[in-house]
Amino acid sequence: MAASTPAVRALNQAKVAHVVHSYPHDARSDSYGDEAVAALSQRVGVVAEQIFKTLVIELSTGAVAVAVLPVPHSLSLKAAAAALGAPKAAMADKAKAQRITGYVLGGVSPLGQKRALPTVIDESALVWDRVLCSAGKRGLEIEVAPADLIRTTAAVTAIITA
């Protein structure tokens, strides 16, 4: 079943209300977030700022973490590091990101990772009644209340956009 990903199972196990949305993934796409926005914004009735991407970062402390922010925005590595208690951060190597999370790029979800990583979610999520993030597979998104996403990922919130 397409919707049976670790991310979806994590929400089901936590008894969190959610909706899974699928769309056809174009293998030629080089911007997975933009692809999700184009496929889902009108169909689901959300704006681009309600669709969040998950980026894997390495903190100067040696920890690997995830930053979750709206697709149209860029990540401030300095702000993400500060929110997670580190002086600096850098984007994680793609292969390392996939190995640590258990997800392929374009399908990295903040939920259901191999092991729970420190997570920061851009506080803009709090202005919405629902946000979408990857369900753990390209072409699959989860719609969830921001408070539930924050709780199930044990995330902190901060302004992390550049």
Side-chain angles (χ1 to χ4, degrees):
M1 178 180 191
S4 184
T5 66
V8 173
R9 287 192 296 274
L11 288 176
N12 286 336
Q13 184 176 8
K15 297 183 181 5
V16 170
H18 63 280
V19 178
V20 177
H21 300 281
S22 65
Y23 59 92
H25 165 63
D26 181 350
R28 297 168 298 175
S29 177
D30 60 354
S31 177
Y32 305 112
D34 289 340
E35 182 182 41
V37 168
L40 296 175
S41 58
Q42 287 189 345
R43 189 176 76 177
V44 178
V46 295
V47 296
E49 286 76 11
Q50 285 177 270
I51 302 176
F52 282 61
K53 58 188 171 186
T54 304
L55 302 177
V56 181
I57 59 176
E58 290 190 71
L59 303 174
S60 55
T61 60
V64 176
V66 292
V68 184
L69 64 152
V71 167
H73 298 278
S74 298
L75 176 65
S76 165
L77 287 165
K78 184 176 182 177
L84 294 167
K88 294 195 291 188
M91 293 302 298
D93 171 74
K94 293 176 182 182
K96 185 174 188 175
Q98 292 181 124
R99 185 177 64 253
I100 288 176
T101 64
Y103 292 120
V104 297
L105 294 184
V108 176
S109 177
L111 299 153
Q113 298 169 359
K114 280 185 175 180
R115 70 171 203 258
L117 297 175
T119 302
V120 58
I121 298 174
D122 189 74
E123 72 178 32
S124 67
L126 299 171
V127 305
W128 306 106
D129 62 340
R130 60 188 174 140
V131 294
L132 282 77
C133 65
S134 178
K137 182 179 175 185
R138 294 175 186 154
L140 206 61
E141 296 279 315
I142 296 171
E143 177 182 327
V144 64
D148 288 333
L149 180 61
I150 293 163
R151 181 176 49 79
T152 55
T153 59
V156 297
T157 60
I159 297 171
I160 59 169
T161 54

